[in-house]
Amino acid sequence: MMATMTPAAAKDTRKSGGTADSAGATADGGAGSNGGPDAKGASVVVNAIAVLRTFSAEEPLLGVTDIAGRVGMHKSSVSRILATLEQEGLVERDPETRRFRLGLGLIAVAGPLLAEMDERRVAYPVLRRLTEQTGETSALMLWNGDEAICVEQIASPHQIKHTTPLGARYRDAMSASVQVFLANQPAERVRELLRSGTITFPGLDDAGLEAYEARLQDVARRGWAGNYGESSMDEVGVAAPAYDHRGDVTAVVLIPAPRFRVSRERLEDLGEACVAAAAQVTTRLGGRAAG
């Protein structure tokens, strides 16, 4: 099983409030002169969140040394955080490798949020029909401001398929869902995300930025985005927007598939099927397409 787009790696320190050695020292109880109890407690929470974000669909098992290197903390600090998270069921230890993975306790934490997501609830039957129609995986993606996140998925019945794990985060500029979301963002915001590296675009220069902006205009005009082996040579994807009652994009319907099964002509067919499914989600949400 492979994901159609490469999930974003754990968020960098600037987005998680900073997890450099100074924050690690605070978590160890060595707060500086300007760090009172409140600051110390906040740093511990920030560090714990940073530890949880290091896990991904590509790397579900991580050791203490792996995590410490990624969040910029001492191994002793990471070990203490993991011990607390394990006690609460938020991580669990693999009995064979002694490395850690995310625990089922996270489902209990996220369950009420997922249950209240109108987009997820109304999209489920649409995604199920879409997978039956196309034979490919279908997924629902939401935007959190700087990345696309998978909140629902119906897997393809084929033995060889591409899947998008629940909770997977995507920041690749060529990812179909990311293209759709960016096509509906102000141009200045798109440039900011690309130039800062928040949305990844290797080798981006002025000419590349101009070409990408033109591509997003085409996505907005056509109504769906395609990714034909541009994120990974073995993978393709199409995505289309669903709208809320204000005419704003509230979610994206995604079809990921293995490239060997999708010709250029079939990519167009999948794109049209994706647009139709997204329109159904819009209707079920009581939304309307941007006019």
Side-chain angles (χ1 to χ4, degrees):
M1 256 184 217
M2 298 167 284
T4 295
M5 299 171 286
T6 304
K11 292 190 177 182
D12 56 37
T13 55
R14 72 176 181 273
K15 293 178 69 180
S16 60
T19 54
D21 285 342
S22 59
T26 301
D28 285 337
S33 59
N34 59 346
D38 289 345
K40 175 181 176 181
S43 295
V44 171
V45 173
V46 167
N47 289 338
I49 292 172
V51 167
L52 289 172
R53 282 177 168 163
T54 59
F55 297 94
S56 68
E58 288 192 326
E59 295 182 284
L61 282 173
L62 294 172
V64 172
T65 301
D66 300 324
I67 297 171
R70 296 180 189 192
V71 299
M73 293 168 55
H74 295 297
K75 289 193 290 184
S76 59
S77 300
V78 172
S79 293
R80 283 192 288 272
I81 290 173
L82 287 169
T84 300
L85 295 175
E86 184 178 19
Q87 182 179 349
E88 297 299 321
L90 302 182
V91 299
E92 56 188 40
R93 197 189 303 261
D94 182 82
E96 295 183 2
T97 65
R98 306 303 295 167
R99 292 190 294 172
F100 290 88
R101 63 163 61 92
L102 294 178
L104 294 178
L106 283 172
I107 297 177
V109 174
L113 172 63
L114 292 175
E116 289 299 314
M117 282 185 177
D118 285 342
E119 295 90 349
R120 183 175 185 264
R121 176 173 49 81
V122 303
Y124 183 84
V126 177
L127 297 180
R128 187 176 59 204
R129 288 193 296 269
L130 183 60
T131 292
E132 292 172 353
Q133 172 190 349
T134 64
E136 303 297 350
T137 296
S138 61
L140 186 73
M141 313 295 290
L142 299 184
W143 183 251
N144 79 342
D146 53 20
E147 60 189 359
I149 302 176
C150 177
V151 297
E152 188 57 273
Q153 174 192 248
I154 305 295
S156 166
H158 291 294
Q159 184 174 4
I160 300 176
K161 56 194 165 193
H162 287 300
T163 58
T164 302
L166 295 185
R169 298 171 290 136
Y170 301 96
R171 294 187 297 180
D172 189 315
M174 294 303 170
S175 297
S177 62
V178 172
Q179 290 182 57
V180 173
F181 283 121
L182 291 183
N184 290 274
Q185 293 285 315
E188 190 54 44
R189 175 60 176 162
V190 173
R191 296 188 198 104
E192 176 187 346
L193 290 170
L194 290 168
R195 286 171 173 159
S196 67
T198 303
I199 297 297
T200 59
F201 192 133
L204 180 69
D205 55 19
D206 289 341
L209 178 59
E210 183 176 345
Y212 187 72
E213 289 177 328
R215 179 177 184 147
L216 295 183
Q217 291 172 7
D218 288 339
V219 169
R221 186 163 45 248
R222 181 174 55 181
W224 62 275
N227 172 13
Y228 199 76
E230 294 166 282
S231 296
S232 172
M233 63 181 297
D234 298 324
E235 306 166 358
V236 303
V238 295
Y243 299 90
D244 63 15
H245 66 282
R246 294 179 296 270
D248 296 330
V249 174
T250 187
V252 161
V253 174
L254 168 71
I255 302 176
R259 183 174 175 178
F260 77 86
R261 204 157 55 224
V262 181
S263 64
R264 290 280 185 179
E265 293 73 19
R266 185 165 187 249
L267 190 76
E268 295 286 330
D269 293 338
L270 290 177
E272 292 176 6
C274 201
V275 168
Q280 293 176 42
V281 174
T282 296
T283 300
R284 288 171 61 86
L285 283 170
R288 60 179 180 83

